[in-house]
Amino acid sequence: MVTTLSKTKDNVINTPGGIIHVRPYRSSSNAQLKAVLSFTPRVSSLDRTNERSQNDQFRGFFVLFWFGLALLFLRTSMQSWEENRTPLSWTFGRLITGDALVLAISDLVMVLAMFFCVPFVKGLQYRWYKYSWTGLIIQHTFQTVYLGTAVWWGWHRQWYWVQSGFLVLHALSSMMKMHSYMAHNGMLATVYFQLQEEKRQLDEVITHIDGGREQLLAEAAERKAQLEAMEGPTPVGTPGPGTPALTSRTSFSAPSGTSSGYEDPASILKKQLGGFTDIGGANGNTPTITAIKERTPEPSSLGGLGPSAEIRQRTSTAAKKKKKNQATDSLPDPRPNLPLGTSLEPSHGTLPHERAPPSPLAWSSNEQVALLARNIDAMQEELISNGGTGLVWPQNVTYRHFLDFMFFPTLVYQLEYPRTKTMRPLVVLEKVVATLGTFSLIYTITEHYIMPMIPKPGDSLFKSFINLALPMMVNYLLIIFECVCTGFAELSYFADREFYQDWWNSTTWDEFSRKWNKPVYTFLLRHVYASTISGFRLSRSSAAFVTFFVSALCHELVMAVVTKKIRPYLFLMQMAQLPMIALGKLPAVKKNKTVGNIVFWMGLMSGFPLL
């Protein structure tokens, strides 16, 4: 369902815990909306600390799955011992450990090269060059050379597919991290220097006014006092003049004295809106938000949250009718085409910083002075992180901060993330053991059930599918990246552990693409989908095509490196998801989720053997 938000007023949602003000995120270049990406303290679907999965009626089947794989591992090891006097065959092992020292050194050099990002951003900070266009050219040239070197080095060393594939995959993920870091800091640098320009213009205007700054401040203070005197007492439950109300981001007004049973308004908002899949108007005039749920509650249904919510709703409506808060309402809106920075960082699930009060000059009767003061206020907010720390750019431009980002299991950069208070060594140990155990299972299945079944000349397609479908699917289900990501998250105090959602329940391929790999999905959403909408003014359907096209090219690159051949099979199979997504939207499939899930699993199980 598509929900259209007002351009001029906040969308107010009353909850038992307070009032939530929701406003869309706008691009500086046009009226399009930016992608909403929320980092929230949460756990993955199958994590043992996830209360929902632990209370699921089918949780025993998950335990049975691991018991079955353990028995398969023991049976295979016993069979290998009887035949070869080794618990595991070392044929595959000799291939993947070849040239291991050179691979380790190459990977270390590649990681160290990522620190180029810091002097790049420092160059923006000291204004050695501007982000547009000089910075963009430097950024993309470096990224191209970085990825091209990884591809060439694997081919030059004539590595087996495991070594070459690992290096290129790591290079791709590192390139995405660097792109997000440099692009986001480039935007912040643009805001920073526009802020300095607005301050310079304000000082220049003030010098041409009789009485100077002192006279303007006195006149503005008198005007503000007159407007405040016209206001009556603020009704209970309505935001007062000092209540934070973000103009270009999401803010939550939580009550004081919160009890342990208090439900975070952000959680209520998430339940009501179901999260955002993408944001961006179909044209430059009507901003829209597309929700994940099929049905988003209408505003009239949001009042049924309890008596306190209804009282707040009535008093808030009454306050609007009486036109309260005239002092703040009289302030001019900042210039609409100001560059954006941390408006791209929603404060969902984190404690947002308190907004600074408006500049005293914002109440000046001189329209030019008031507008410049409001522009300065808006851009100063754009440089502050959406979190309790309130980190201000360029305080983040340090090697230590970048090193922290390298350890964070995310591909999308922002100034501040939700963090845990402690690091649990036992959890790290658990994930290390889980990683080794999962890798042992993958090794066993590959060595004994995939490599011997690789198609030979003369084998039929049907026979190859029957031999390979099940073992390849089991390897796919062993989500080893969840163990690795969770381990790094624990080491780096990173609180958002939702690296995937219940993708196994997908009924359409677009749902699978959102849920399977959340770090990659969030990167594509912000830096490909939303960027093409705002930068190139593409429609949402065209931006979706470009996003799938870029993703398919990256998959095909890995396939070409692994096989040392250019055969666009994987590329075509990736792009085939677009018509399959269209088929999933047909009423016959959309109404019957079981049919949709069957079609999804048939396609997923067929993909690997066919490839």
Side-chain angles (χ1 to χ4, degrees):
M1 177 176 177
V2 175
T3 305
T4 303
L5 300 184
S6 170
K7 288 185 178 182
T8 57
K9 297 182 180 179
D10 283 350
N11 189 25
V12 178
I13 298 179
N14 295 283
T15 72
I19 296 176
I20 302 174
H21 301 269
V22 183
R23 291 207 58 171
Y25 306 130
R26 298 186 181 280
S27 168
S28 58
S29 58
N30 51 39
Q32 299 288 9
L33 297 178
K34 288 289 186 180
V36 173
L37 304 177
S38 174
F39 289 94
T40 305
R42 52 194 169 188
V43 294
S44 57
S45 297
L46 297 179
D47 193 282
R48 60 182 178 81
T49 61
N50 189 326
E51 295 182 2
R52 181 177 179 182
S53 62
Q54 292 303 312
N55 294 326
D56 190 272
Q57 293 182 350
F58 291 92
R59 62 189 180 277
F61 282 97
F62 180 65
V63 177
L64 177 62
F65 172 78
W66 286 109
F67 266 117
L69 288 179
L71 291 172
L72 177 66
F73 178 80
L74 290 175
R75 175 184 174 277
T76 305
S77 299
M78 291 173 59
Q79 183 179 357
S80 177
W81 179 262
E82 291 174 355
E83 296 175 356
N84 307 309
R85 292 302 172 185
T86 57
L88 290 175
S89 174
W90 195 240
T91 305
F92 186 47
R94 282 191 293 270
L95 294 173
I96 66 176
T97 56
D99 222 6
L101 180 61
V102 176
L103 176 62
I105 295 174
S106 304
D107 193 59
L108 177 62
V109 171
M110 186 175 66
V111 170
L112 293 176
M114 294 176 65
F115 282 94
F116 167 80
C117 296
V118 181
F120 169 82
V121 178
K122 284 187 177 292
L124 296 173
Q125 176 187 349
Y126 299 135
R127 215 166 190 180
W128 297 339
Y129 44 83
K130 293 183 178 180
Y131 184 65
S132 180
W133 289 91
T134 307
L136 282 169
I137 294 172
I138 296 173
Q139 172 187 337
H140 289 286
T141 300
F142 174 74
Q143 291 174 181
T144 303
V145 172
Y146 184 88
L147 181 60
T149 302
V151 173
W152 170 81
W153 186 241
W155 174 82
H156 174 73
R157 298 293 301 183
Q158 290 298 302
W159 274 335
Y160 188 55
W161 67 268
V162 177
Q163 289 92 332
S164 57
F166 165 79
L167 192 70
V168 171
L169 282 172
H170 195 185
L172 278 170
S173 63
S174 299
M175 191 181 71
M176 287 188 280
K177 266 185 173 287
M178 293 189 297
H179 177 88
S180 187
Y181 180 85
M182 291 190 280
H184 196 72
N185 278 284
M187 295 170 61
L188 292 171
T190 304
V191 175
Y192 180 80
F193 289 113
Q194 182 62 41
L195 171 62
Q196 308 310 313
E197 176 63 21
E198 297 284 331
K199 287 181 176 180
R200 187 195 63 78
Q201 292 181 20
L202 179 60
D203 291 338
E204 186 177 340
V205 170
I206 290 175
T207 58
H208 292 86
I209 295 178
D210 294 337
R213 185 179 294 270
E214 290 75 13
Q215 176 64 29
L216 285 171
L217 287 172
E219 181 266 334
E222 181 180 356
R223 183 167 180 265
K224 178 184 177 184
Q226 292 174 353
L227 292 169
E228 288 178 341
M230 297 170 62
E231 299 175 6
T234 303
V236 176
T238 60
T243 302
L246 300 182
T247 58
S248 60
R249 66 191 71 173
T250 306
S251 64
F252 304 106
S253 303
S256 59
T258 302
S259 64
S260 59
Y262 164 69
E263 185 173 7
D264 185 5
S267 304
I268 297 174
L269 176 62
K270 187 175 181 180
K271 293 176 183 176
Q272 293 172 349
L273 297 184
F276 303 117
T277 58
D278 57 70
I279 289 189
N283 50 57
N285 301 318
T286 308
T288 59
I289 289 182
T290 304
I292 288 178
K293 288 187 177 179
E294 294 182 3
R295 178 182 180 273
T296 302
E298 298 294 332
S300 60
S301 67
L302 299 178
L305 297 173
S308 58
E310 295 175 2
I311 293 173
R312 270 190 291 273
Q313 187 174 8
R314 289 197 295 268
T315 54
S316 178
T317 304
K320 290 179 181 179
K321 289 181 179 180
K322 293 180 181 179
K323 296 183 179 180
K324 298 296 179 183
N325 302 326
Q326 293 187 28
T328 53
D329 291 344
S330 65
L331 295 177
D333 291 329
R335 186 156 47 89
N337 62 341
L338 291 175
L340 295 182
T342 53
S343 287
L344 303 179
E345 302 175 10
S347 56
H348 299 168
T350 62
L351 178 65
H353 69 273
E354 287 192 23
R355 281 180 68 88
S359 168
L361 291 176
W363 280 276
S364 174
S365 58
N366 186 308
E367 294 182 1
Q368 188 177 9
V369 171
L371 179 60
L372 287 170
R374 291 291 285 159
N375 291 345
I376 291 171
D377 288 341
M379 284 187 290
Q380 285 176 337
E381 286 295 320
E382 289 295 320
L383 296 173
I384 303 177
S385 66
N386 280 328
T389 304
L391 193 67
V392 182
W393 196 90
Q395 293 176 345
N396 63 303
V397 188
T398 64
Y399 287 98
R400 173 62 185 273
H401 187 84
F402 182 73
L403 181 63
D404 287 342
F405 174 59
M406 287 178 63
F407 273 92
F408 291 156
T410 177
L411 301 175
V412 175
Y413 177 77
Q414 63 183 42
L415 294 183
E416 191 173 351
Y417 302 88
R419 307 292 294 275
T420 59
K421 295 181 179 179
T422 59
M423 189 272 289
R424 298 166 294 176
L426 288 179
V427 173
V428 177
L429 178 62
E430 173 192 331
K431 296 306 175 183
V432 170
V433 173
T435 300
L436 294 175
T438 305
F439 179 78
S440 299
L441 285 170
I442 293 175
Y443 178 91
T444 302
I445 293 170
T446 303
E447 173 75 31
H448 294 275
Y449 300 99
I450 294 180
M451 292 187 66
M453 299 298 175
I454 287 181
K456 302 175 182 61
D459 288 351
S460 66
L461 182 64
F462 179 75
K463 179 182 178 181
S464 300
F465 172 77
I466 296 299
N467 289 335
L468 293 173
L470 185 58
M472 282 190 162
M473 181 51 59
V474 172
N475 268 0
Y476 190 78
L477 292 175
L478 296 172
I479 314 175
I480 196 169
F481 85 90
E482 195 271 343
C483 302
V484 176
C485 289
T486 304
F488 274 98
E490 192 66 35
L491 285 170
S492 59
Y493 299 82
F494 190 79
D496 194 345
R497 313 290 171 87
E498 190 182 67
F499 306 115
Y500 58 91
Q501 293 177 323
D502 58 331
W503 58 267
W504 46 89
N505 293 325
S506 299
T507 57
T508 59
W509 284 99
D510 58 331
E511 183 182 0
F512 170 72
S513 65
R514 291 195 304 268
K515 292 182 174 182
W516 153 236
N517 191 329
K518 293 295 290 294
V520 173
Y521 165 72
T522 52
F523 176 87
L524 293 173
L525 177 61
R526 171 180 284 185
H527 293 291
V528 180
Y529 179 82
S531 294
T532 52
I533 288 178
S534 61
F536 299 98
R537 302 190 179 186
L538 298 182
S539 65
R540 285 186 292 171
S541 57
S542 298
F545 175 83
V546 171
T547 303
F548 273 93
F549 183 79
V550 171
S551 176
L553 284 179
C554 292
H555 282 81
E556 186 60 34
L557 172 64
V558 175
M559 195 67 187
V561 168
V562 164
T563 62
K564 296 180 175 58
K565 300 175 183 177
I566 298 179
R567 301 285 190 270
Y569 301 132
L570 184 55
F571 175 82
L572 295 174
M573 294 173 78
Q574 287 283 112
M575 296 305 294
Q577 293 182 72
L578 288 172
M580 293 174 73
I581 289 173
L583 289 175
K585 293 179 180 180
L586 294 175
V589 179
K590 200 171 183 179
K591 292 179 180 178
N592 194 329
K593 294 187 178 298
T594 302
V595 172
N597 191 241
I598 291 173
V599 172
F600 157 74
W601 274 112
M602 289 176 62
L604 193 63
M605 292 190 71
S606 302
F608 301 111
L610 288 176
L611 188 61

